[in-house]
Each structure stands twice: as structure tokens, then as C-alpha cells.
Amino acid sequence: MSEDKEKVVFTEDKKSKAEEAREHTTPRLFLRRWLILLLFCCFSMSNAFQWIHLNIIGNIILRYYNESLPGDEFQQQLAVDWLSMIYMLAYIPLIFPATWLLDRKGLRVVSLAATFLNCLGAWLKCASVDPSRFGVLMFAQTVCAIAQIFILGIPARLAAVWFGPNEVSTATALGVFGNQVGVAIGFLVPPVIVKNHDDLNLVGRDFSIMFYATAGVTTALFLLVITVFKKQPPTPPSKAQAIIVEQAAEEKYSQSLVRLVKNRCFMLLMITYGVNTGSYYGISTLLNPLVLYYCENCEEHAGRIGLTIVLAGVLGSIVAGIWLDKTKKFKLTTVAIYFLSMAGMVLFTFTLDQGILWVLYLCGGILGFFMTGYLPVGFEFAAELTYPESEGTSSGLLNASAQFFGIVFTTSMGALLNKFGPLAANATVSGALLLGTIGTALIKGHLRRQEAEKKGGQLTAFLTADDIVDYEL
């Protein structure tokens, strides 16, 4: 009986606060939202560039830093792979305090932390240009990896805080777009700047050019965030967002986390999202050795194939975001893109050994369009399944899953590549994506945020024994 009374008080308190928010808040959109989004895209881009700009020239890293790397050939390659995987490893334990900071302090504080660490890591890399300083390079990359923790949870939150209900999917897609452009530049530019010279002094000179240029860009972005970036607009852009702002300011992060863990549909999405995105991380990290296995001295082609994957993915992200805003078919879109990602991976797997470059570019583009196009779709589907929880919390858990599976796929693909070749490595990823497609099809598409918008910010909800956690607002 006492438990029933507590539930009544809980729902009445929530109802009164939500009604007060709706009565005193008139949704309004501000033109400044596009400037905020553009600035975020730029500093997300600079951090994503630093994630992959070393591994796409992994064979040159191996030569230049050989004296400070382990003696065993497999251990050397694994050490270079960790320049990418450190981004994934750092994210998993630190995402929880980073998400707490996003919920409590807002977008500005988190963006300042991200751009400062990104800038610091870039400058530390300038001090690593010496064959004996691989440890310094790894430390600098770790600092950049910590910066990434604050960045990856921002797109869905920024879209919800600044953009209207018919813009959030597009805004989220554009936020992911900035990150993907950074990866694209990270694939394209390093092989052009850093050449595989016989003279290591010339290689060191090329590294210095790349590192100092990156440090200059990240410093300028840090200064822009200080002067331009705002926490939130004066008034929320929608009634549903007004409730989230009200609730996020008062609820405990741990309680929100528990409710998400008890949401079975979200947990299944978290696993399948991790498999898809983790596969992408593994392929991106190992693209250099995968291509060079069949095409010797093709560093620049490896970078350009990576560029093709990412640019096609950028297009896929934007198309998916616009499609979701127009149709609201979250479940159908998620399953379709996941299935096509698997099909693209199978195609890439069985054409890689042909060594025909134009075929590799084409298959890489198909793979990237769907696999990278899935990223914003996953964020938005999660926001629908978990409303009215904070988008920062749900996207943070999705990214944590992606980082975990990224480490799993990168290490397992690396081991399979070393022992059996690319076919075994890529076939394993294709099988995992098949299981992910089946898992995604099993998710029930209960679109809570859309229901709230239709009801003017109200959402009928229940606390049940099945651990499906909703609210009555």
C-alpha cells in the first residue's frame, strides 16, 4: 500500500512540474543554433582526424618508431593499433562521469573540456617527433582520446536542446557528419603529407608539418568555443524538450542510468549498435594493412578508399536524418540500414582479394553509405525508445557499447589478419553484422518522444514489473 502511495506522489510531482514548464514556456527557435552546430562539427572533426591520422599510415609509424616499439612483429603492429584503440578504451570507464557532466553542467562546459584536451594532445604530439618517443606519441593520443569522450555524446543532446521537433534528426545527422568529415580528412591527408622516405629525418620532418598544423587548428577552435559556444537557448525549442530540461536539472544521473539499463528494448539496441559501429571502427583502424596485404605500396590508395567510405557515409547520414524527419519510421529505417550494412560488408569481403582498385572504391562506398549512415539513426531511435531520459545519457551508453565492440573487433581482426589473412577477418565481421541485423529486427518500436509531441508534451507511462520504465507526465 505504501508503495502505491509513493507511485502516486511520484507521478503527481512529475505532472505538476511538467505542466508548469508547458504553461510558462513558449517554444522558440533561434538562428544561432546553426552557428553552434557548425562550431561543434568543426571541433568534432578535428578530434576525429586525430583518431585515425596515425593508423592510416601505420606502416610508416612502424618504420619511424621502430626502436621504441616491442621486438616481436605482431606486438609492434598491436602497439600501433592501440593508437586507435586507446580512443575506444578510454571511453568505456570515463563516459559515465562525462555524461554526468553533460547533464549537470550543459553543452558549454563539456565543449570547453573537449576542445582544451584536444588542443593539448595536439601540441604534445609535436614533442613526439623522434624515433625514441613512441611513448610520448601514445600519451598524446590518450589525451585526445579523453577529449573524444566529451564529444561523442553531444550530437543528440545539442539537437534536442537547440532544434525543433522536425529538425532533431537532421541536426543529429549533421553533428555526426562533422565527426565523419574529420575521419575522412584523417584518411586522405596523412598519406599525402607523410611520405615513406628512405631517410627517417625526412619522415620526421613530414610528421612535424602534420602535427604543428593540427595543433594550430585545434587551438583556434578552443578559442572560438570560449567566445561563441552557449549552453542552451533562452527558451526550449519544443514542449517535449522543455520537460527534459526541467527533469534533467532535478533528477539524479544514477537513477536515469538504472532506468535505461532496465529498458529491455534500449539494451538490445545498445548491443546491436555496438556491433555495427564497432565493426566500422575495426575496419577503419586496419584499413592500411588490409589494403597493403593485396596492394603493396598503396598507402595513398588505402587513404582514399577510407575517404570514399567516410564521404559515402556522410551522405548516408544526411539522407537517413532527412528521411527520419519526414517519415518518422525509426524501426523500419534502422533494420533496413543494418541489413544493407551487412550486405555491403559481404561485398567488400569477397572483392578485396581481387586487387581491382575501382572495385574496392565502389564497394567501400557502398559499405560506408550504410554502415556510417546508421550512426545518427541509432542515436535517434534510442532517443525515441528512452524518452524522456536525457539524450546525452542514452547516446553515451550507445557509444560505450561501440567502443567495447570496437576493441573486440580490432584485436580479433588483427589476430585473424596476421594468421589467416583478410578473408577470415572480414568474414567474421560479416557474421557479426548478420546477428546484429536479427537482433535489431527484434526491437519493439515504441516511439515515446513522438507520442509526447502529439500530446503537447504529455507522455502516458507506466512502472511495471517487467522493468519497462516510463513516466506519467
Side-chain angles (χ1 to χ4, degrees):
M1 184 68 179
S2 60
E3 292 181 358
D4 292 338
K5 289 181 179 179
E6 288 178 2
K7 289 181 181 179
V8 171
V9 172
F10 174 78
T11 54
E12 286 179 351
D13 288 345
K14 292 289 180 184
K15 185 174 181 179
S16 62
K17 290 174 183 176
E19 287 178 347
E20 183 179 351
R22 289 195 299 274
E23 290 171 0
H24 294 88
T25 302
T26 301
R28 181 183 172 190
L29 295 177
F30 293 83
L31 188 61
R32 188 187 187 94
R33 69 190 187 280
W34 297 108
L35 177 61
I36 296 293
L37 181 60
L38 175 63
L39 184 53
F40 166 74
C41 287
C42 289
F43 70 74
S44 176
M45 176 181 66
S46 68
N47 183 261
F49 169 82
Q50 295 198 79
W51 164 54
I52 204 64
H53 75 314
L54 300 173
N55 291 87
I56 196 58
I57 50 172
N59 60 316
I60 301 177
I61 295 284
L62 281 170
R63 274 195 62 235
Y64 184 74
Y65 289 100
N66 185 265
E67 70 177 71
S68 53
L69 288 169
D72 179 74
E73 182 179 346
F74 175 71
Q75 293 297 323
Q76 287 181 347
Q77 183 62 56
L78 186 61
V80 173
D81 291 345
W82 270 109
L83 289 170
S84 166
M85 288 193 291
I86 191 61
Y87 265 61
M88 308 170 202
L89 180 64
Y91 191 92
I92 296 171
L94 296 179
I95 180 52
F96 300 107
T99 303
W100 176 88
L101 190 66
L102 177 62
D103 286 340
R104 288 294 172 270
K105 299 299 181 181
L107 291 167
R108 176 173 168 81
V109 170
V110 169
S111 298
L112 284 170
T115 49
F116 170 74
L117 290 170
N118 197 41
C119 173
L120 177 62
W123 282 107
L124 287 172
K125 287 179 184 177
C126 297
S128 72
V129 184
D130 188 277
S132 64
R133 296 179 184 174
F134 182 81
V136 177
L137 181 66
M138 180 61 76
F139 177 72
Q141 190 74 342
T142 302
V143 174
C144 295
I146 297 172
Q148 173 231 205
I149 295 163
F150 298 101
I151 292 172
L152 288 187
I154 289 179
R157 181 60 179 269
L158 188 151
V161 169
W162 281 91
F163 289 81
N166 293 324
E167 298 175 331
V168 287
S169 296
T170 302
T172 302
L174 290 172
V176 174
F177 165 86
N179 188 274
Q180 296 309 307
V181 170
V183 177
I185 298 173
F187 277 129
L188 177 66
V189 173
V192 174
I193 296 177
V194 183
K195 300 294 185 180
N196 198 6
H197 302 287
D198 292 332
D199 187 349
L200 290 183
N201 291 323
L202 294 178
V203 176
R205 180 204 63 188
D206 292 350
F207 274 126
S208 293
I209 293 171
M210 182 171 70
F211 290 156
Y212 276 103
T214 305
V217 171
T218 55
T219 301
L221 290 170
F222 175 53
L223 295 176
L224 280 172
V225 169
I226 292 175
T227 56
V228 174
F229 209 89
K230 299 297 182 183
K231 177 181 179 180
Q232 61 189 37
T235 58
S238 69
K239 292 179 180 180
Q241 185 55 35
I243 295 173
I244 293 179
V245 171
E246 182 84 10
Q247 180 178 306
E250 298 177 2
E251 285 201 320
K252 293 182 179 180
Y253 173 68
S254 59
Q255 294 175 349
S256 176
L257 200 60
V258 168
R259 287 193 293 272
L260 287 176
V261 171
K262 289 181 176 181
N263 186 325
R264 295 173 182 178
C265 292
F266 173 72
M267 292 305 293
L268 183 54
L269 176 63
M270 189 176 81
I271 294 170
T272 57
Y273 181 92
V275 170
N276 190 301
T277 310
S279 300
Y280 167 71
Y281 290 159
I283 294 166
S284 298
T285 300
L286 297 172
L287 189 59
N288 176 271
L290 282 172
V291 173
L292 293 185
Y293 190 92
Y294 293 114
C295 184
E296 191 175 352
N297 298 319
C298 287
E299 294 91 352
E300 290 195 28
H301 281 296
R304 290 169 187 163
I305 292 170
L307 173 69
T308 303
I309 291 174
V310 176
L311 290 182
V314 168
L315 178 60
S317 296
I318 295 174
V319 170
I322 295 173
W323 171 260
L324 285 179
D325 279 334
K326 297 292 185 183
T327 66
K328 310 299 182 186
K329 296 183 180 297
F330 290 86
K331 170 71 179 292
L332 176 64
T333 304
T334 305
V335 174
I337 292 180
Y338 211 118
F339 174 79
L340 292 169
S341 296
M342 180 202 66
M345 186 65 209
V346 171
L347 188 64
F348 183 77
T349 298
F350 291 102
T351 56
L352 182 61
D353 62 347
Q354 301 301 311
I356 304 173
L357 288 173
W358 73 266
V359 174
L360 290 181
Y361 280 95
L362 177 62
C363 294
I366 294 172
L367 176 65
F369 183 86
F370 295 110
M371 185 171 281
T372 310
Y374 174 79
L375 301 181
V377 175
F379 279 147
E380 285 304 296
F381 194 26
E384 293 292 338
L385 293 174
T386 61
Y387 178 86
E389 302 294 352
S390 166
E391 294 88 351
T393 307
S394 61
S395 61
L397 288 173
L398 289 182
N399 281 318
S401 176
Q403 310 307 319
F404 170 77
F405 281 102
I407 294 173
V408 171
F409 282 121
T410 303
T411 53
S412 60
M413 286 179 69
L416 289 169
L417 177 63
N418 185 60
K419 290 185 178 181
F420 304 107
L423 181 61
N426 291 336
T428 300
V429 175
S430 299
L433 289 172
L434 174 60
L435 295 176
T437 302
I438 296 171
T440 303
L442 296 175
I443 298 173
K444 295 180 180 179
H446 184 50
L447 307 182
R448 302 175 181 178
R449 187 171 62 180
Q450 297 303 315
E451 292 177 3
E453 283 297 332
K454 291 177 182 178
K455 297 177 181 179
Q458 295 181 356
L459 180 65
T460 302
F462 306 92
L463 290 171
T464 72
D466 292 329
D467 291 329
I468 302 174
V469 181
D470 291 308
Y471 304 87
E472 182 168 309
L473 297 178

